[in-house]
Amino acid sequence: MSEVICKKGKHGHDEYYLAEKPEKGSMFDQSEDGEAKNFYGTAIVRHPELKGLLFHVANEGMIKPQYGAKRKLMGVVSGVADYILLMPSGDYNFAIFEMKKVRGVPSDIKKEQVAFLDKCKAQGGYGCITFGYKAALFALNKFLKQSK
């Protein structure tokens, strides 16, 4: 596995990257959906105790305006992170993971996503942005290894 680098992003949240990004168009250059499937599938195999506690929030996609209005009335909130883990670790009550494609860049991070990360931090949660599923797995493992 390529080395994972963690740094504080310009918004003050941890950002996890692969030291070496795959070549554009290679089999390792996946869509965000592909990255998400690999992250969740691997996370549950490695940590079966997370099943039902780690979940994806289906909050993305191009939708018709009338359905978007309906979803908003149902409580869909713009900027909610891709994955939520309802498990405490260390000094944190829970964790959230905003996933981007492995070849993504910090400019892909929307202001609503940063606002959601900020709200979670204020509630005692750990929030981070990950670029690729391997970086997300690294962030998850780092979160789980914290001690109280």
Side-chain angles (χ1 to χ4, degrees):
M1 181 160 119
S2 181
E3 178 187 2
V4 175
I5 297 168
C6 177
K7 67 173 191 162
K8 286 282 183 212
K10 69 178 182 176
H11 304 293
H13 298 284
D14 290 345
E15 294 180 5
Y16 293 84
Y17 302 85
L18 292 183
E20 296 177 33
K21 292 183 181 180
E23 287 185 38
K24 187 171 182 151
S26 77
M27 64 185 254
F28 301 106
D29 181 20
Q30 300 181 40
S31 67
E32 199 167 308
D33 287 352
E35 297 282 1
K37 290 175 191 174
N38 282 328
F39 169 65
Y40 183 76
T42 305
I44 294 304
V45 167
R46 290 184 184 170
H47 305 284
E49 71 278 10
L50 300 184
K51 195 164 190 171
L53 297 173
L54 175 67
F55 55 91
H56 173 68
V57 177
N59 199 26
E60 63 276 311
M62 300 298 289
I63 56 172
K64 294 179 181 177
Q66 51 282 44
Y67 185 59
K70 178 182 175 182
R71 285 177 32 157
K72 197 171 195 174
L73 290 171
M74 293 168 54
V76 172
V77 177
S78 182
V80 172
D82 293 304
Y83 283 92
I84 297 176
L85 174 58
L86 297 178
M87 175 183 279
S89 185
D91 294 330
Y92 299 102
N93 298 324
F94 59 94
I96 63 168
F97 304 88
E98 177 58 45
M99 287 189 71
K100 300 295 179 191
K101 294 189 326 183
V102 70
R103 294 182 53 76
V105 292
S107 62
D108 293 339
I109 303 163
K110 296 178 177 80
K111 65 180 179 182
E112 296 88 358
Q113 293 168 329
V114 173
F116 186 76
L117 288 163
D118 291 342
K119 288 177 186 177
C120 288
K121 185 177 181 180
Q123 296 301 315
Y126 173 74
C128 64
I129 301 154
T130 65
F131 293 84
Y133 82 94
K134 291 179 181 178
L137 288 169
F138 184 90
L140 174 65
N141 288 330
K142 183 177 173 185
F143 174 79
L144 293 173
K145 287 180 182 175
Q146 296 182 66
S147 58
K148 288 249 177 207

